[in-house]
Amino acid sequence: MYKVTFKFENSEDVIVFAALGENLLEVARKTNVAIDAPCNGNAACGKCKVRLLGGELDSKKTHHISDEEYAGGWRLACCSKVCADVEVMVPDIASAYKSRMKVADLSSPDEIKIFDDLKEQVLQAGIALKNDMKVITLQMNEPTLDDTMPDNERFTRALRAQTGVNVIRISYTALNKLAFVLRKSQFEIQVVLRETAKDLFVYDVFEKEKNVIVGGMAVDIGTTTVSAIIIDMLTGEILAKGSAGNGQIRYGADVINRIIESEKPGGREKLQKAVIDETINPLIDTMCRQAHLDHSQIYRLCIASNTTMNHLLLGVFADPVRMEPFVPSFFKTNSVYAYNIGINVNQDAHIILAPNIGSYVGGDITAGAFVSMVWNKPEFSLFIDLGTNGEIVFGNSDFMFSCACSAGPAFEGGDISCGMRATDGAIEACTIDEETMEPTYSVVGDPGTKPVGICGSGIIDIIAELFRCKIISPKGKFIREGKRVRHDEHGMGSYVIAFQEEAGSVKDVEITEVDIDSFIRAKGAIFSAIRTMLSYCDFDVSMIEHVYVAGGIGSGINMQNAIRIGMFPDVPLELYEYIGNSSLVGAYAMLYSNEAERKVYEIAQNMTYIELSNINAYMDEFVGACFLPHTDSALFPSIV
Amino acid sequence: MYKVTFKFENSEDVIVFAALGENLLEVARKTNVAIDAPCNGNAACGKCKVRLLGGELDSKKTHHISDEEYAGGWRLACCSKVCADVEVMVPDIASAYKSRMKVADLSSPDEIKIFDDLKEQVLQAGIALKNDMKVITLQMNEPTLDDTMPDNERFTRALRAQTGVNVIRISYTALNKLAFVLRKSQFEIQVVLRETAKDLFVYDVFEKEKNVIVGGMAVDIGTTTVSAIIIDMLTGEILAKGSAGNGQIRYGADVINRIIESEKPGGREKLQKAVIDETINPLIDTMCRQAHLDHSQIYRLCIASNTTMNHLLLGVFADPVRMEPFVPSFFKTNSVYAYNIGINVNQDAHIILAPNIGSYVGGDITAGAFVSMVWNKPEFSLFIDLGTNGEIVFGNSDFMFSCACSAGPAFEGGDISCGMRATDGAIEACTIDEETMEPTYSVVGDPGTKPVGICGSGIIDIIAELFRCKIISPKGKFIREGKRVRHDEHGMGSYVIAFQEEAGSVKDVEITEVDIDSFIRAKGAIFSAIRTMLSYCDFDVSMIEHVYVAGGIGSGINMQNAIRIGMFPDVPLELYEYIGNSSLVGAYAMLYSNEAERKVYEIAQNMTYIELSNINAYMDEFVGACFLPHTDSALFPSIV
């Protein structure tokens, strides 16, 4: 066994022992050292770079490592085997990806606006904003020597008398506290319950003076990022909002690699643990502190996520999701409670899942489609969710079609050498001076934050600007020279947005021809999916009356640039609307409103899923779309 | 802080640090060192003796420690404070009390007979021996590209078609396994479910070839001992049987001391943990190994226990049980599932509790009364359960009365200086030669097991024999002298059954006047309770047509001797029947038969509880019964 020491800039060393020949990336994963590996250790993405500080590593050199980098000690973890004691540095660009908790400042109106907007639209659509959770006050006679009815029987009888409901179920939580609370509060108590047409379920009991909050939680589990809010179920108010990186990221950046990882021995448990114990539960801890709420006072959850994410969340065998005939284990389920999967809220909290409609169109899309309100308008609308996968819905109040395309993780910074999520240090917007080729960019974070990478909206801008300034060709190849344009030994071009001196990273923040190529394929997948689906349904881009763009790409997305690179159809800019994380907002709607929940099930039932791979035209469309903006420039009349 | 080392004969040292002045018994409890303390550290019982081997202890000498013992290092843990580093020996007599797991040999017909007897009687009473658990085989079409219905929807539809039940709930356990099991078994699977008039609940799914056992578990939680069986819910067969000491014993031998302990900070959690994590769950582990069954295949539990035990099991505030107006938190509850209290079986297993009817007549008695069949016979029968408390039921198929008396733990060896449970090393039967005063005794355990103490049936025999041989007076004082009769410095007499040389203990096994006095009060409580209740109901001892004796006192009980000491009424011996642990057998009935379960609820509802302390005559009866056999010898005509 050899001693492997992982060093970090901002945290303590992690020391672990490994056998001769063990893969360094595997060693890191076993020890919970987060090394970014979007391609899951296939030597494809070049992201898992570490720097050898001492000892030895048996590493293969790949094209991701230049001679200069190799001399400086840079190695790909996935191409390195342990052969002696070794000390490696895990660089900042990787730790930027590490699950990072972020709590929103709710005093900022921006954070809450999307939820308020939704509520208004939902009400306009005639959907009631209420649910079946309640708090009631219940007064009982104190027992005496002549009236020795036990607490449970006394409580049940009083509840029946007051509510008129006959079938009453009392949770263990309430039973466990009842004797104590009754006596502390002179037999006048507050009861948290859920009342349906059939029965009444008592979640909790409190003393009469206590200010009782009935909490609920909506969660969007993205492949890359998990976002959540805690709400007051009685008023709909947002009490806390937060996000964290999905802890599964170290098992692969996309859903396919996660599924493959989950099929290894113990894999389902490992992936489930990564998202629950390492992501959702710590996020709940943080948010409960923000909301000054006890975990046990979160009584209902709604989770929206893609089909793979909700299968891995429940520890369900997910192989059928990715294998023909592409049959998920469930579209809809009512079976899951917090205690089942160890989510740290009230153990009887029911977990509502936004329904899937196919292997690649999941609950995040049905919830998001609800939020887009496409289903409630006569005009033909397009709803595009840009996540690690791209999903598209088209329709109106009469019909809806949906499809998915594997755009890959490029929109969230995956597959891009300097790509990253839209967190601190990400270049999120950029313009380039046509003359000097000098960039001007803005970075996520406090003023003065140095750039360490580029997030999705930044990549769109950079590519659009490189193309506009004719620095790259329609094929994405560098065609101008300058201080910022470089070529490696293989002739591969790149453009440096921030040299190491000005960057917060250990190396230049740049975009390479390989990155541009990845991104062009991603945007091509989206555009060709839109075209293929529309023409399959006998529609045309010109008939689009509204475009809703959702997803983690961020509000910084420049629609003009997205059109300019041929990612979105060339319809008037004013038809575009960025609606943010519609999956989370949809989960909020389902959580807070029983009618909205039913509506989402109805939407799922009525949405027609189109499998693009079954349509021959799709491949041709895709090939045409892998240009800037497109091989058929007539499709982009506004681009000069 | 001082170093406290607990030493044992058969296990490793336990070392802990304690502050100046800390009580040694408390230090032991915090460290989970089991020192027997039936009186809960009140210096009353003299059981918590430890031997000082090194260092110092600040100990008070009490009458429980003779000068000779004191010189030999014996101290009461509850009367000792830490004042320096110290090393103490925790003697075997205490570790004999330590939670000890015992699994029954099911090949012995004796172990199963009581359950078979019950089944026969239940059938004769017209009660069906069946429950709503089932295993069915379900065949589905395998999905194809033309039939892409998800597993959960496919499964639900097939279940509806096959069973005709519309409302189907699928447990998380089943959902979690479904995709995998379906594909491993070509979409033909076995389903474990519970079908009621209203709905169908799917607990589990298995491959079609698997030999599926639907397990259930019945538990009797006694104040001193926990007994349990695992059964096959489909056939009623006993698959495993075991028992263990109730881990709560170190917090007091009787229910009152346990309640007091549970009210200290963190006490409810501590007592709950002692019985679940330290007693029931290890017992389940052992029994599942015996039954070759996975924990998750135990789908239902029935627990019978006294009111305090079931309150502490559920972690419910139990103070009202012992305080006027004596109102328990529940008689009946349907709220508890395995996941709620962390019992290590299938997490959705419903936990049925035999109903209580008062603070001191609990589920062990309602379940036991069912087993006695008193409710199904025209003759007047008496049912006596001798546990740590004594409970009595009298009645027939028309009416039933019940009452409780705090006999104290003497029947199970508590409050007796050499008392112990009926486990290995306990003297369980004894005769004494009238001439020589030499005893002949039998010991629980393999042949050759040396005596370490005396269990309940042994104490009855010894006292009856001492009385018959006129070694003690009707008041329990020694009135003959001899080699085995001794007197301490205060003149207190005792009789040595086994001198240290022949005993497996570190000291003589003897019975003292204090012990005899304790026991006389215990038996007096039982006898006077019977008399008082009968006369309160306008009955008389002579009208008793059958006496069922149940409880942990053991099948070794000599009814003739119990009558001779005035514990049981002087009715013909052939009317007596020992029915064993009727609480466990009753729990078995409720677990296996839905009709039996309903019958027990009905029995509980119809049983009239009599509070003896409200009846003036009870005290007079009790005083009269505190003699051997009684002050009114006319009540015991058969005793010469």
Side-chain angles (χ1 to χ4, degrees):
Chain A
M1 300 295 274
Y2 297 106
K3 180 172 160 185
V4 179
T5 308
F6 294 101
K7 290 186 155 297
F8 308 88
E9 264 181 34
N10 301 314
S11 60
E12 286 189 20
D13 297 358
V14 172
I15 296 171
V16 62
F17 289 85
L20 178 70
E22 268 199 86
N23 181 290
L24 187 65
L25 182 61
E26 293 290 334
V27 173
R29 285 177 168 183
K30 277 197 294 195
T31 325
N32 282 332
V33 166
I35 295 182
D36 192 34
C39 78
N40 206 22
N42 294 319
C45 70
K47 282 278 183 95
C48 63
K49 278 178 195 157
V50 295
R51 192 169 194 167
L52 186 61
L53 296 182
E56 276 179 69
L57 267 182
D58 174 9
S59 298
K60 258 188 286 188
K61 184 172 176 301
T62 75
H63 72 279
H64 293 293
I65 307 270
S66 69
D67 289 344
E68 202 187 9
E69 283 179 320
Y70 197 85
W74 291 101
R75 304 288 183 271
L76 289 191
C78 74
C79 297
S80 300
K81 289 176 188 169
V82 172
C83 63
D85 286 356
V86 66
E87 244 182 73
V88 294
M89 181 75 176
V90 179
D92 254 16
I93 187 83
S95 61
Y97 268 83
K98 205 173 147 186
S99 301
R100 198 190 290 186
M101 215 77 66
K102 216 174 141 181
V103 172
D105 174 11
L106 294 181
S107 64
S108 152
D110 286 355
E111 296 289 354
I112 299 193
K113 188 171 178 301
I114 44 173
F115 302 101
D116 287 340
D117 288 353
L118 172 87
K119 283 198 277 190
E120 202 172 300
Q121 289 188 300
V122 164
L123 284 175
Q124 278 170 10
I127 288 179
L129 281 173
K130 62 188 171 110
N131 56 71
D132 43 24
M133 298 294 297
K134 273 187 191 173
V135 178
I136 65 169
T137 299
L138 202 66
Q139 163 102 61
M140 287 151 273
N141 291 327
E142 295 198 35
T144 63
L145 274 174
D146 294 324
D147 169 14
T148 59
M149 183 181 285
D151 301 337
N152 191 39
E153 281 78 355
R154 184 179 300 269
F155 175 60
T156 307
R157 181 178 288 201
L159 255 182
R160 271 201 195 111
Q162 182 156 331
T163 62
V165 180
N166 206 34
V167 181
I168 288 179
R169 294 182 303 136
I170 297 171
S171 70
Y172 170 73
T173 305
L175 179 72
N176 175 270
K177 292 165 74 176
L178 189 61
F180 191 76
V181 171
L182 281 175
R183 281 163 190 79
K184 224 182 153 190
S185 195
Q186 291 80 51
F187 286 74
E188 184 178 353
I189 61 172
Q190 295 183 82
V191 186
V192 175
L193 53 84
R194 176 165 179 249
E195 188 180 339
T196 68
K198 280 188 315 198
D199 64 4
L200 186 156
F201 184 79
V202 175
Y203 283 93
D204 219 337
V205 290
F206 292 96
E207 293 153 48
K208 81 175 155 220
E209 295 84 6
K210 166 133 181 149
N211 176 26
V212 176
I213 300 285
V214 180
M217 182 161 159
V219 188
D220 159 53
I221 303 179
T223 311
T224 309
T225 307
V226 174
S227 312
I229 49 171
I230 292 177
I231 73 162
D232 182 327
M233 291 293 293
L234 304 185
T235 63
E237 191 193 342
I238 313 292
L239 304 178
K241 188 178 173 194
S243 66
N246 186 333
Q248 292 176 343
I249 197 90
R250 63 178 180 281
Y251 303 117
D254 62 29
V255 297
I256 299 300
N257 278 310
R258 303 259 178 102
I259 293 175
I260 292 170
E261 192 70 25
S262 77
E263 279 153 44
K264 297 180 182 168
R268 285 199 265 154
E269 292 74 16
K270 196 172 66 178
L271 272 285
Q272 192 177 27
K273 191 169 177 294
V275 68
I276 296 174
D277 296 356
E278 298 171 19
T279 308
I280 296 176
N281 281 344
L283 187 57
I284 293 173
D285 292 342
T286 309
M287 290 169 65
C288 278
R289 271 195 299 276
Q290 191 189 18
H292 303 294
L293 198 68
D294 192 87
H295 293 64
S296 66
Q297 283 180 260
I298 298 177
Y299 300 100
R300 194 185 315 195
L301 256 75
C302 180
I303 294 179
S305 60
N306 67 52
T307 309
T308 302
M309 286 303 109
N310 53 50
H311 278 57
L312 295 180
L313 175 78
L314 302 190
V316 166
F317 180 57
D319 207 32
V321 168
R322 74 179 182 105
M323 304 294 276
E324 215 182 79
F326 308 109
V327 175
S329 193
F330 58 88
F331 280 171
K332 189 180 155 183
T333 170
N334 279 318
S335 301
V336 190
Y337 293 82
Y339 71 87
N340 290 134
I341 55 176
I343 291 191
N344 190 11
V345 295
N346 187 294
Q347 62 177 353
D348 289 307
H350 195 181
I351 300 180
I352 298 160
L353 294 180
N356 304 317
I357 71 156
S359 276
Y360 295 111
V361 174
D364 49 347
I365 303 308
T366 54
F370 174 81
V371 173
S372 74
M373 296 281 156
V374 170
W375 52 273
N376 195 39
K377 291 171 187 160
E379 65 255 34
F380 299 127
S381 303
L382 194 61
F383 166 66
I384 306 172
D385 191 356
L386 295 175
T388 308
N389 264 22
E391 293 99 346
I392 296 151
V393 174
F394 180 73
N396 67 2
S397 47
D398 291 329
F399 71 93
M400 267 182 289
F401 291 99
S402 70
C403 70
C405 62
S406 60
F411 300 130
E412 284 165 319
D415 272 5
I416 305 292
S417 56
C418 287
M420 65 183 290
R421 292 195 289 133
T423 53
D424 286 1
I427 293 174
E428 58 167 349
C430 182
T431 58
I432 296 175
D433 186 287
E434 202 171 340
E435 278 305 283
T436 64
M437 295 169 55
E438 281 301 301
T440 309
Y441 54 80
S442 59
V443 174
V444 178
D446 296 328
T449 302
K450 289 183 170 182
V452 295
I454 317 168
C455 70
S457 60
I459 296 166
I460 291 173
D461 281 5
I462 293 167
I463 294 177
E465 286 290 281
L466 289 173
F467 181 55
R468 186 183 59 80
C469 300
K470 302 195 169 58
I471 300 170
I472 55 173
S473 70
K475 288 185 174 175
K477 303 296 169 200
F478 282 90
I479 49 176
R480 270 177 79 180
E481 297 297 330
K483 169 183 153 216
R484 290 183 176 268
V485 176
R486 297 195 297 207
H487 294 275
D488 70 5
E489 65 255 55
H490 309 291
M492 191 73 76
S494 64
Y495 174 83
V496 180
I497 303 106
F499 286 105
Q500 193 180 338
E501 307 82 72
E502 53 182 305
S505 162
V506 292
K507 56 195 200 76
D508 303 337
V509 178
E510 61 174 356
I511 190 162
T512 68
E513 277 179 15
V514 176
D515 297 336
I516 294 170
D517 191 54
S518 288
F519 200 86
I520 286 178
R521 275 183 286 112
K523 74 94 191 169
I526 294 290
F527 185 77
S528 53
I530 295 170
R531 282 264 296 172
T532 307
M533 187 170 74
L534 286 181
S535 73
Y536 181 82
C537 312
D538 280 331
F539 279 85
D540 185 74
V541 164
S542 65
M543 301 161 88
I544 297 171
E545 292 170 277
H546 210 109
V547 184
Y548 301 95
V549 179
I553 197 158
S555 58
I557 185 171
N558 181 318
M559 298 295 180
Q560 178 66 67
N561 280 342
I563 295 171
R564 189 174 282 147
I565 64 171
M567 177 169 165
F568 290 160
D570 192 4
V571 295
L573 262 187
E574 59 271 21
L575 300 189
Y576 281 91
E577 186 180 341
Y578 178 69
I579 59 169
N581 185 344
S582 60
S583 170
L584 179 64
V585 179
Y588 168 74
M590 292 179 75
L591 176 68
Y592 182 47
S593 157
N594 291 151
E595 280 186 29
E597 184 191 348
R598 277 191 292 273
K599 178 52 80 177
V600 176
Y601 295 138
E602 196 186 302
I603 289 171
Q605 202 118 43
N606 296 336
M607 199 181 275
T608 307
Y609 174 65
I610 294 170
E611 177 54 53
L612 291 182
S613 60
N614 293 343
I615 302 176
N616 295 331
Y618 180 56
M619 219 0 112
D620 298 337
E621 285 287 352
F622 177 67
V623 171
C626 284
F627 273 73
L628 295 174
H630 198 277
T631 48
D632 180 2
S633 61
L635 292 172
F636 290 86
S638 81
I639 312 296
V640 241
Chain B
M1 299 294 274
Y2 296 106
K3 181 171 159 186
V4 179
T5 308
F6 293 101
K7 291 185 155 297
F8 308 89
E9 263 180 34
N10 302 315
S11 60
E12 285 189 20
D13 295 359
V14 172
I15 296 172
V16 63
F17 290 85
L20 177 69
E22 269 199 86
N23 181 291
L24 188 65
L25 182 61
E26 293 290 333
V27 173
R29 284 177 168 183
K30 276 197 296 196
T31 324
N32 281 333
V33 165
I35 296 182
D36 190 36
C39 78
N40 205 23
N42 294 317
C45 70
K47 282 280 184 94
C48 62
K49 278 177 194 159
V50 296
R51 193 168 191 167
L52 186 62
L53 296 181
E56 276 179 69
L57 267 182
D58 174 10
S59 299
K60 257 188 285 187
K61 184 171 176 302
T62 74
H63 70 279
H64 294 291
I65 307 271
S66 68
D67 290 344
E68 202 185 9
E69 283 178 321
Y70 197 86
W74 291 100
R75 305 286 183 271
L76 288 192
C78 74
C79 296
S80 300
K81 289 178 186 167
V82 173
C83 63
D85 286 356
V86 66
E87 245 183 72
V88 294
M89 181 77 179
V90 180
D92 254 15
I93 188 83
S95 60
Y97 267 85
K98 205 174 147 186
S99 300
R100 198 191 289 187
M101 214 76 67
K102 217 174 140 180
V103 173
D105 174 12
L106 294 179
S107 65
S108 152
D110 285 356
E111 296 289 354
I112 300 193
K113 188 171 178 302
I114 44 172
F115 302 102
D116 288 340
D117 289 352
L118 172 87
K119 284 199 276 191
E120 200 172 303
Q121 287 188 301
V122 164
L123 284 175
Q124 278 170 12
I127 288 179
L129 280 174
K130 63 188 172 110
N131 56 71
D132 42 25
M133 297 296 296
K134 272 188 190 172
V135 178
I136 65 169
T137 299
L138 202 65
Q139 164 101 61
M140 287 149 275
N141 292 327
E142 294 198 36
T144 63
L145 274 174
D146 294 325
D147 169 14
T148 58
M149 183 181 285
D151 300 338
N152 191 40
E153 281 80 354
R154 184 177 300 268
F155 175 60
T156 307
R157 180 178 288 201
L159 255 183
R160 270 201 195 110
Q162 182 155 331
T163 62
V165 180
N166 206 35
V167 181
I168 288 180
R169 295 181 303 136
I170 296 170
S171 71
Y172 169 74
T173 305
L175 179 72
N176 175 271
K177 292 166 75 176
L178 189 62
F180 191 77
V181 172
L182 281 175
R183 281 164 189 80
K184 225 184 151 187
S185 194
Q186 292 81 50
F187 286 76
E188 184 178 354
I189 61 173
Q190 295 183 82
V191 186
V192 175
L193 54 83
R194 176 165 180 250
E195 188 180 340
T196 67
K198 280 188 314 198
D199 64 4
L200 185 156
F201 184 80
V202 174
Y203 283 94
D204 219 336
V205 291
F206 292 96
E207 294 153 47
K208 79 174 155 223
E209 295 83 8
K210 165 132 182 150
N211 176 26
V212 176
I213 300 284
V214 180
M217 182 161 159
V219 188
D220 160 52
I221 303 179
T223 311
T224 307
T225 306
V226 174
S227 312
I229 50 172
I230 292 177
I231 73 162
D232 183 327
M233 291 293 294
L234 304 185
T235 64
E237 192 192 340
I238 313 291
L239 304 177
K241 187 178 173 195
S243 66
N246 187 332
Q248 292 177 342
I249 196 89
R250 63 179 179 282
Y251 303 117
D254 62 29
V255 297
I256 299 300
N257 278 308
R258 302 259 178 102
I259 294 175
I260 292 171
E261 192 69 25
S262 77
E263 280 152 43
K264 297 180 182 168
R268 285 200 264 156
E269 292 73 16
K270 195 172 68 178
L271 273 284
Q272 192 177 27
K273 191 169 178 291
V275 70
I276 296 174
D277 297 355
E278 298 171 18
T279 309
I280 295 176
N281 282 343
L283 187 57
I284 292 173
D285 292 342
T286 308
M287 290 168 67
C288 277
R289 271 196 299 277
Q290 191 189 18
H292 304 294
L293 197 68
D294 192 87
H295 293 65
S296 66
Q297 283 180 259
I298 298 177
Y299 301 100
R300 195 186 314 196
L301 256 74
C302 180
I303 295 179
S305 60
N306 68 53
T307 308
T308 301
M309 286 303 109
N310 52 51
H311 278 57
L312 294 180
L313 176 78
L314 302 189
V316 166
F317 180 58
D319 206 32
V321 168
R322 73 178 182 104
M323 303 295 275
E324 216 182 78
F326 308 110
V327 174
S329 194
F330 57 88
F331 279 171
K332 191 181 155 182
T333 170
N334 279 319
S335 302
V336 189
Y337 294 82
Y339 72 87
N340 290 133
I341 55 175
I343 290 191
N344 189 12
V345 295
N346 187 294
Q347 61 177 352
D348 289 307
H350 194 181
I351 300 180
I352 298 160
L353 294 180
N356 304 317
I357 71 156
S359 277
Y360 296 112
V361 175
D364 51 346
I365 302 309
T366 54
F370 174 82
V371 173
S372 74
M373 296 282 156
V374 170
W375 52 274
N376 194 40
K377 290 170 186 160
E379 64 255 34
F380 299 127
S381 303
L382 193 62
F383 165 67
I384 306 172
D385 192 356
L386 294 175
T388 308
N389 263 23
E391 293 98 349
I392 295 151
V393 174
F394 180 74
N396 67 3
S397 47
D398 292 328
F399 71 93
M400 265 184 288
F401 290 99
S402 70
C403 70
C405 61
S406 59
F411 301 130
E412 284 164 320
D415 273 4
I416 304 292
S417 56
C418 288
M420 64 182 292
R421 293 195 288 134
T423 53
D424 285 2
I427 294 174
E428 59 167 348
C430 181
T431 56
I432 297 175
D433 186 287
E434 201 173 341
E435 280 302 284
T436 64
M437 295 169 55
E438 282 300 304
T440 308
Y441 54 80
S442 59
V443 174
V444 178
D446 297 328
T449 302
K450 288 183 171 182
V452 294
I454 318 168
C455 70
S457 60
I459 297 166
I460 291 173
D461 280 7
I462 293 166
I463 294 177
E465 286 290 282
L466 289 173
F467 181 56
R468 185 184 60 78
C469 300
K470 301 195 169 56
I471 300 170
I472 54 173
S473 71
K475 289 184 175 177
K477 302 297 168 199
F478 283 90
I479 49 176
R480 271 177 78 179
E481 297 297 331
K483 170 184 151 214
R484 289 183 177 266
V485 177
R486 297 195 298 208
H487 294 275
D488 69 6
E489 64 255 54
H490 308 291
M492 191 73 77
S494 65
Y495 175 84
V496 181
I497 303 106
F499 287 103
Q500 193 182 338
E501 308 82 72
E502 53 182 305
S505 162
V506 292
K507 57 196 199 77
D508 302 338
V509 178
E510 60 174 355
I511 190 162
T512 67
E513 277 179 16
V514 175
D515 298 335
I516 295 170
D517 190 54
S518 288
F519 200 86
I520 286 178
R521 275 184 286 114
K523 74 94 190 168
I526 295 289
F527 185 77
S528 52
I530 296 170
R531 283 262 297 171
T532 306
M533 186 171 74
L534 287 182
S535 73
Y536 179 82
C537 313
D538 280 332
F539 278 86
D540 185 73
V541 164
S542 66
M543 300 161 88
I544 298 172
E545 292 170 277
H546 210 111
V547 184
Y548 301 95
V549 179
I553 196 158
S555 58
I557 185 171
N558 181 318
M559 300 294 181
Q560 179 67 66
N561 279 343
I563 296 171
R564 189 174 280 146
I565 64 170
M567 177 171 165
F568 290 160
D570 192 3
V571 296
L573 261 186
E574 58 272 21
L575 300 190
Y576 280 91
E577 186 179 342
Y578 178 68
I579 60 170
N581 185 345
S582 60
S583 170
L584 179 64
V585 178
Y588 167 74
M590 291 179 74
L591 175 68
Y592 181 48
S593 158
N594 291 151
E595 282 187 28
E597 184 191 347
R598 278 192 290 274
K599 178 52 81 177
V600 176
Y601 295 138
E602 195 186 303
I603 288 170
Q605 202 117 44
N606 296 336
M607 199 182 276
T608 307
Y609 175 66
I610 295 171
E611 177 55 52
L612 290 182
S613 58
N614 293 343
I615 302 176
N616 294 330
Y618 180 57
M619 221 356 116
D620 298 338
E621 285 288 352
F622 176 66
V623 171
C626 284
F627 272 74
L628 295 174
H630 198 277
T631 48
D632 181 2
S633 61
L635 292 172
F636 291 86
S638 81
I639 312 297
V640 241

